[in-house]
Amino acid sequence: MTETMTMAKALNEGMRAALARDSRVLLMGEDIGPLGGVFRVTEGLQAEFGDKRVLDTPLAESGIVGTAIGLAMSGFRPVCEIQFDGFIFPGFDQITSQLAKLTARHEGTLTMPVVIRVPYGGHIGAVEHHQESPEAYFAHTPGLRLLSPATPHDAYWMIQEAIASNDPVMFFEPKSRYWQKGEVDRESAGIATHSSRVVREGTEVTLVGHGAIVSMLLQAAELAAEEGTSVEVVDLRSLSPIDFDPIVASAQKTGRVVVVQEAPGNVSVGSEVAATVAERAFYSLEAPVLRVSGYDTPFPPAKLESVYLPSVDRILDAVDRALAY
Amino acid sequence: MPYTAATVQLLSPEGTLVHSDASEQYLPYVDKLSDDALQEFHRHMVVMRRFDIEAANLQRQGQLALWVPSHGQEAAQVGSALAAKPQDHLFPSYREHVIALMRGVDPITILSMFRGLSHGGWDPKEHSNFHLYTLVIGSQTLHATGYAMGLNLDGLAGTGDPDKDTAVMVYFGDGSTSQGDVSEAMVFAASYQTPQVFFLQNNHWAISVPVSRQSRTPLYLRGEGFGIPSVQIDGNDVLASFAVSKANLDAARAGEGPRFIEALTYRMGAHTTSDDPSKYRDNSELEFWAQRDPITRFDTYLRGRGASQAFFDEIAAEGDDLAADIRKRITELPVPASSTMFDNVYSDPHPLMDAERAALADFEASFEEGN
């Protein structure tokens, strides 16, 4: 049986389930208590589980991540909320130099079950530092895992997958999708760990993306279909490790791949997908793998974000270019 | 002269007990100590210094890539560590070699890091809750604070049960006090009233930069600024280090919140063996601190209490034995198998690790005879 809910609610329900299942799970972050977070994703959880399970912290991202590490050392499973994508950098050192390396430094005797939730991406018309897509920094860091759901159903299950992980997980939440509704099946068996998924089948071009971009890829595929082009869409879901098999299989089928992301394209998750497809599907390709991304500039003022961010038109333009080879 | 009237000193550089306004409340902790217990303080300091000298020699002889000397800081470290209970968790920086040894870490494990064979690797659970070294300056203060937050959440402080109540002690240096993480750790500790002691070894130098560049205020007053009761001690006085640490750990374990101790000490050697202190500090300063050596004054004190020459000979021999032991074993340490690089990056299975491990194994196998 499925229920209709927003992604924000699905994340809330996923965390509620995790808090109820395991008394060692803690939520911590800025304004996540009575306010329920600036996006209300943790709404009602402190009232339900108390302020020893859902902690409003001082306003310090390095402090949040650093103390979460200590809490994990003492046997807890902290889930940290970073308020906005662009505010993660004060915590970057603790994430990359400590959190990501502690299991290796301990030669495997210490697990680091810490989740760091990051609302990310554009399309909300916000001020500087509030619309960024910093996932590549973390995908580049050994020791971390990265997940990013595109639908409420995936969000409900993937946040629980992240909390159950014994490794640190960066959980990137596409904030422009928080209020989009979708069907959530709480009775299903969940989803396979770190799996990508074909969300629309097609035969001529493969579009690959993650997070908020996935719904745009589906729109592009629909418009392309009206013009007679059959487009397949793959949702990465996991950015580290990337589940390449479905992507490579799709590339072998269609021969043309376009990778789309909000983040700047230079040295990005999309670059890795392009390189791996080239390595593993070389003889199937009819065109070079193309990328559509945010430009390699700082995220611009909001009135320019529609220019900066990938759009359906830019995606269809890339589809046309791929087909022209 | 860094000491002030507020600096707690129980044993003077001349080796006599100090009775002052600052010392009075702490002297009872020392009065309870037996001669055997006091000799144990000395044994740790003397053996440690011998280990430190040997490790520096091994570096000079090419057996270690680097050594981080602790010469001069023995009293701060030994006194505070002996004040901790077995259940307390100690988070070091990277110069607390003697505490590692006191908590059961094989000294060869410490040396293996500086030989380039590991990044630490002991299990704190198996080594009396002595956590791994942290090389990024000040980062461990947040880990310690988080651990102490966990103790509070688990109800392991302030219960009144002396075997159950637990505290955390974190070691850091004067340079690290300029790091944001140290300030954030004190913010969180004060906010959540964690059962922990911040133990600052002010050795007066952050590599080549004097503490005057880090702070215009005595560093223990920083703690006060965060709402943490703070005290400054003569860190070259092992009795002050022990007594003040014990009083503050007791308070932390009792659920009275965090405490801050600034131990005034001095790094007699280089920051590391890569450094040349003669380029940035005067011999007169070194001479000042040599007069306040932690081992010399305690030696005098113990002899005044009637310790026998046999005791001093015995601990000197113990230090020599340890030096000989590490000198022998250091060259016997094996280089880890290359595949171990991939083994513990993640706790759960990871396809990229599996693929790269297999690729490296195939590559290495391609050089074997017959391939």
Side-chain angles (χ1 to χ4, degrees):
Chain A
M1 191 189 95
T2 64
E3 301 159 68
T4 305
M5 65 179 81
T6 64
M7 182 184 285
K9 181 67 174 167
L11 289 165
N12 182 281
E13 290 294 329
M15 285 189 278
R16 175 176 282 111
L19 283 161
R21 187 181 305 123
D22 183 351
S23 65
R24 305 305 284 180
V25 173
L26 303 176
L27 308 189
M28 53 194 294
E30 299 160 7
D31 305 295
I32 70 166
L35 182 66
V38 295
F39 292 105
R40 311 293 183 266
V41 174
T42 57
E43 190 155 49
L45 296 178
Q46 191 183 63
E48 185 171 340
F49 293 96
D51 62 7
K52 289 184 164 49
R53 303 286 308 281
V54 180
L55 285 68
D56 263 334
T57 65
L59 203 169
E61 288 77 11
S62 190
I64 292 169
V65 178
T67 56
I69 288 168
L71 282 159
M73 287 174 169
S74 67
F76 288 91
R77 305 182 83 87
V79 182
C80 306
E81 177 173 306
I82 300 296
Q83 200 156 71
F84 279 93
D85 35 58
F87 299 161
I88 198 164
F89 299 105
F92 192 78
D93 171 57
Q94 283 287 348
I95 294 170
T96 55
S97 297
Q98 303 301 329
L99 181 63
K101 293 177 176 168
L102 275 160
T103 295
R105 195 179 302 151
H106 282 78
E107 297 179 356
T109 60
L110 178 74
T111 58
M112 265 292 124
V114 176
V115 178
I116 299 181
R117 297 178 38 240
V118 189
Y120 82 115
H123 300 289
I124 66 164
V127 293
E128 196 180 8
H129 312 298
H130 291 67
Q131 306 220 78
E132 298 174 6
S133 295
E135 59 269 29
Y137 295 108
F138 303 99
H140 188 66
T141 301
L144 300 177
R145 296 172 182 268
L146 272 70
L147 297 173
S148 183
T151 69
H153 179 83
D154 283 356
Y156 175 77
W157 287 107
M158 285 164 67
I159 188 66
Q160 294 182 74
E161 171 192 343
I163 295 169
S165 170
N166 290 311
D167 296 312
V169 178
M170 306 292 298
F171 195 84
F172 285 92
E173 301 174 1
K175 67 171 95 77
S176 65
R177 304 298 297 171
Y178 270 152
W179 310 114
Q180 302 298 313
K181 289 184 176 172
E183 296 298 303
V184 174
D185 184 355
R186 290 202 249 193
E187 309 295 318
S188 74
I191 59 177
T193 305
H194 291 289
S195 61
S196 60
R197 185 170 76 101
V198 174
V199 291
R200 177 188 172 109
E201 295 200 3
T203 57
E204 293 172 274
V205 180
T206 300
L207 296 176
V208 181
H210 62 274
I213 283 293
V214 174
S215 65
M216 191 177 282
L217 301 184
L218 290 169
Q219 282 177 45
E222 195 63 39
L223 288 169
E226 290 172 17
E227 310 237 318
T229 303
S230 174
V231 172
E232 182 147 299
V233 177
V234 181
D235 177 1
L236 286 173
R237 297 203 292 200
S238 176
L239 311 181
S240 181
I242 295 174
D243 176 21
F244 283 110
D245 288 350
I247 303 163
V248 170
S250 183
Q252 287 166 339
K253 179 169 71 171
T254 64
R256 293 176 172 84
V257 177
V258 178
V259 191
V260 189
Q261 64 191 10
E262 292 189 23
N266 194 38
V267 197
S268 64
V269 170
S271 308
E272 189 59 37
V273 172
T276 301
V277 169
E279 280 178 17
R280 291 182 52 186
F282 183 71
Y283 288 110
S284 304
L285 292 178
E286 302 289 342
V289 181
L290 300 179
R291 283 175 287 163
V292 179
S293 68
Y295 292 103
D296 291 297
T297 69
F299 200 98
K303 294 300 183 195
L304 290 174
E305 71 169 318
S306 63
V307 179
Y308 170 89
L309 291 168
S311 61
V312 170
D313 284 344
R314 280 175 64 197
I315 295 166
L316 289 173
D317 173 68
V319 168
D320 287 345
R321 284 189 282 125
L323 285 167
Y325 278 90
Chain B
M1 179 68 183
Y3 304 145
T4 70
T7 309
V8 178
Q9 184 185 69
L10 305 186
L11 189 67
S12 72
E14 294 72 36
T16 54
L17 286 181
V18 175
H19 292 271
S20 69
D21 289 348
S23 73
E24 227 42 64
Q25 72 177 106
Y26 298 107
L27 282 170
Y29 289 95
V30 173
D31 292 341
K32 291 180 202 158
L33 295 171
S34 66
D35 281 311
D36 283 353
L38 290 167
Q39 290 183 4
E40 191 69 1
F41 284 62
H42 201 57
R43 185 175 72 83
H44 285 302
M45 291 198 291
V46 167
V47 171
M48 181 60 220
R49 186 167 289 183
R50 184 66 186 88
F51 171 77
D52 189 67
I53 290 167
E54 192 65 21
N57 289 344
L58 288 170
Q59 191 278 333
R60 289 292 183 244
Q61 292 158 11
Q63 296 298 333
L64 301 179
L66 185 77
W67 181 241
V68 184
S70 57
H71 187 145
Q73 298 180 222
E74 294 88 351
Q77 297 180 4
V78 168
S80 59
L82 282 173
K85 289 190 171 184
Q87 69 265 33
D88 292 339
H89 281 254
L90 309 181
F91 286 75
S93 175
Y94 50 72
R95 205 184 293 278
E96 289 71 30
H97 314 309
V98 69
I99 307 177
L101 272 54
M102 291 164 71
R103 288 267 167 165
V105 177
D106 185 339
I108 212 74
T109 307
I110 303 290
L111 297 181
S112 76
M113 270 187 285
F114 296 102
R115 193 173 165 85
L117 299 173
S118 83
H119 289 322
W122 66 86
D123 181 357
K125 294 189 291 292
E126 302 289 322
H127 295 90
S128 307
N129 303 323
F130 182 72
H131 288 258
L132 298 193
Y133 283 4
T134 300
L135 304 187
V136 181
I137 301 298
S139 296
Q140 76 280 7
T141 58
L142 281 169
H143 309 162
T145 300
Y147 200 98
M149 288 167 67
L151 292 176
N152 264 352
L153 292 171
D154 279 332
L156 290 172
T159 68
D161 179 348
D163 295 327
K164 186 175 174 189
D165 283 343
T166 306
V168 167
M169 184 138 66
V170 60
Y171 292 87
F172 57 114
D174 45 297
S176 80
T177 60
S178 296
Q179 287 280 4
D181 276 2
V182 174
S183 288
E184 292 187 24
M186 289 193 277
V187 167
F188 276 66
S191 179
Y192 294 106
Q193 287 295 289
T194 50
Q196 77 180 111
V197 175
F198 289 89
F199 194 95
L200 164 61
Q201 290 172 82
N202 177 355
N203 72 14
H204 289 81
W205 290 92
I207 305 189
S208 66
V209 177
V211 65
S212 57
R213 178 65 67 199
Q214 314 293 345
S215 180
R216 289 296 181 103
T217 188
L219 287 166
Y220 76 101
L221 294 179
R222 291 264 184 93
E224 292 286 345
F226 288 94
I228 299 173
S230 304
V231 59
Q232 187 183 61
I233 67 170
D234 177 351
N236 282 5
D237 168 3
V238 72
L239 296 180
S241 178
F242 170 78
V244 176
S245 297
K246 189 156 183 7
N248 283 284
L249 283 165
D250 285 349
R253 270 188 234 102
E256 294 171 23
R259 295 289 189 271
F260 184 109
I261 299 170
E262 178 190 9
L264 296 172
T265 181
Y266 196 75
R267 195 192 76 208
M268 297 298 284
H271 164 68
T272 70
T273 45
S274 301
D275 169 26
D276 177 6
S278 70
K279 294 184 78 149
Y280 53 80
R281 66 186 191 190
D282 287 341
N283 270 340
S284 62
E285 189 178 282
L286 200 62
E287 194 51 39
F288 173 89
W289 286 99
Q291 300 296 322
R292 284 151 189 81
D293 183 75
I295 292 180
T296 307
R297 81 171 78 172
F298 206 63
D299 184 294
T300 306
Y301 177 63
L302 289 182
R303 288 181 194 275
R305 290 179 64 106
S308 68
Q309 183 57 41
F311 162 71
F312 295 100
D313 293 344
E314 182 188 309
I315 59 174
E318 185 181 339
D320 288 341
D321 289 348
L322 175 61
D325 179 60
I326 60 171
R327 169 168 293 282
K328 174 174 180 295
R329 285 198 289 154
I330 193 72
T331 57
E332 296 168 356
L333 290 174
V335 175
S338 51
S339 65
T340 59
M341 281 193 299
F342 305 102
D343 287 349
N344 299 303
V345 182
Y346 298 90
S347 297
D348 294 336
H350 194 285
L352 192 60
M353 295 301 101
D354 295 342
E356 292 188 357
R357 184 192 289 106
L360 176 59
D362 286 349
F363 179 70
E364 289 182 337
S366 73
F367 293 96
E368 286 168 14
E369 210 173 339
N371 285 318

